[in-house]
Amino acid sequence: MEKVFVGETFIQKELQTNLKEFNSFTDALTQREKDVMDLLLRHASNDQIANTLNIKKRAVENYISSIYEKTGINDKAELIKRFGQG
């Protein structure tokens, strides 16, 4: 709590590893890939992502493939399990 009182940020040790891991690969993602990933982690369907971002469904599929390649993850469920909030 001392850190918080002097204006520093406090992050629980349990979250630090996941946060570092998340930041290291998201640095390699384009802004659009980050947008798509954010919606994926919110359990949005490909159609919902396309509508929200005003892009074609095929573009969403391409972005998802790129995210999987960059993260080494093979499917949406694994991505959500690893990086989602619930």
Side-chain angles (χ1 to χ4, degrees), residues 10-73:
F10 172 77
I11 300 173
Q12 291 176 301
K13 288 196 185 294
E14 298 82 23
L15 299 176
Q16 289 177 3
T17 302
N18 286 343
L19 185 60
K20 287 177 189 174
E21 185 176 326
F22 186 77
N23 285 334
S24 66
F25 85 80
T26 58
D27 289 344
L29 299 179
T30 66
Q31 184 58 52
R32 184 59 90 182
E33 289 167 344
K34 290 176 184 179
D35 296 340
V36 170
M37 184 169 166
D38 178 57
L39 292 167
L40 278 174
L41 294 177
R42 295 172 191 255
H43 303 276
S45 69
N46 290 5
D47 286 330
Q48 290 169 323
I49 294 169
N51 289 334
T52 300
L53 298 178
N54 198 29
I55 58 178
K56 298 202 179 287
K57 185 177 176 182
R58 183 66 187 142
V60 172
E61 293 166 354
N62 289 336
Y63 287 123
I64 292 171
S65 293
S66 180
I67 291 166
Y68 291 163
E69 182 177 326
K70 290 178 180 181
T71 61
I73 291 174

